[in-house]
Amino acid sequence: MKGLWTIGLLIVSNVFMTFAWYGQLRLKGQKWFDELPLAGIVIMCWSIALLEYFFLVPANRIGFHGNDGPFSLMQLKVIQEVISLLVFTVFTLVFFKTETLRWNHAVAFILLVLAVYFIFKK
C-alpha cells in the first residue's frame, strides 16, 4: 500500500512541477501575464512549485526503505523520473498541440521502462 501512496503522491507532485516549469509558456499572449516582469513570473512559478513539495516530500518519506517503505533511494529516483516524463508528455500533448510524438520518443520510453526494470532487479 505504501508503494501505491508513493507513486500517487509522485504523480500529483509532478503535475504541479510540470505546470510550474512549463505552464507559464502557455500563458504567453494573455494580457495580464505579458505585463508581468520576469521576477513576477518566477514568483508565480515558484508558488506553484511550492505545492509540489507538499506531495514530493511525503512521497519520498513514505516510500523510502529507511522509513519502512518499499523503495530504495535509487528506485525512488528512477520512479520519479519516469513519472516526470510521462506527466510531461501528457501535458505537452494536451496543452501544446504543436508537439507530436515520434518514433524516437517511443524508443526513449521503452528505454525508461528498461531502466525501471534494471533498477528493481536484485
Side-chain angles (χ1 to χ4, degrees), residues 16 21 26 32 41 57 61 73 93 96 106-107 111:
F16 279 113
W21 285 1
R26 185 71 170 102
W32 67 272
I41 295 168
V57 172
R61 290 185 65 82
L73 192 58
L93 295 175
F96 290 89
V107 170
L111 292 174

Side-chain angles (χ1 to χ4, degrees), residues 42 44 56 69 114:
V42 169
M44 182 186 81
L56 178 67
L114 286 172

Side-chain angles (χ1 to χ4, degrees), residues 17-116:
M17 200 63 199
T18 301
F19 273 98
W21 285 1
Y22 304 105
Q24 49 90 17
L25 299 174
R26 185 71 170 102
L27 294 175
K28 186 175 178 169
Q30 303 288 324
K31 184 176 174 19
W32 67 272
F33 184 78
D34 290 343
E35 293 174 355
L36 280 176
L38 182 57
I41 295 168
V42 169
I43 290 169
M44 182 186 81
C45 293
W46 206 10
S47 299
I48 297 168
L50 175 64
L51 294 172
E52 182 244 357
Y53 280 84
F54 283 106
F55 297 95
L56 178 67
V57 172
N60 285 329
R61 290 185 65 82
I62 291 168
F64 181 53
H65 207 298
N67 293 335
D68 296 323
F71 305 119
S72 71
L73 192 58
M74 293 294 282
Q75 290 169 336
L76 275 171
K77 184 58 181 172
V78 170
I79 291 167
Q80 188 277 327
E81 291 298 332
V82 170
I83 290 171
S84 177
L85 289 171
L86 289 173
V87 167
F88 176 77
T89 300
V90 170
F91 175 84
T92 300
L93 295 175
V94 170
F95 290 101
F96 290 89
K97 306 276 192 226
T98 57
E99 300 290 328
T100 57
L101 287 178
R102 296 189 185 95
W103 70 268
N104 56 322
H105 300 139
V107 170
F109 286 130
I110 291 167
L111 292 174
L112 284 170
V113 169
L114 286 172
V116 171

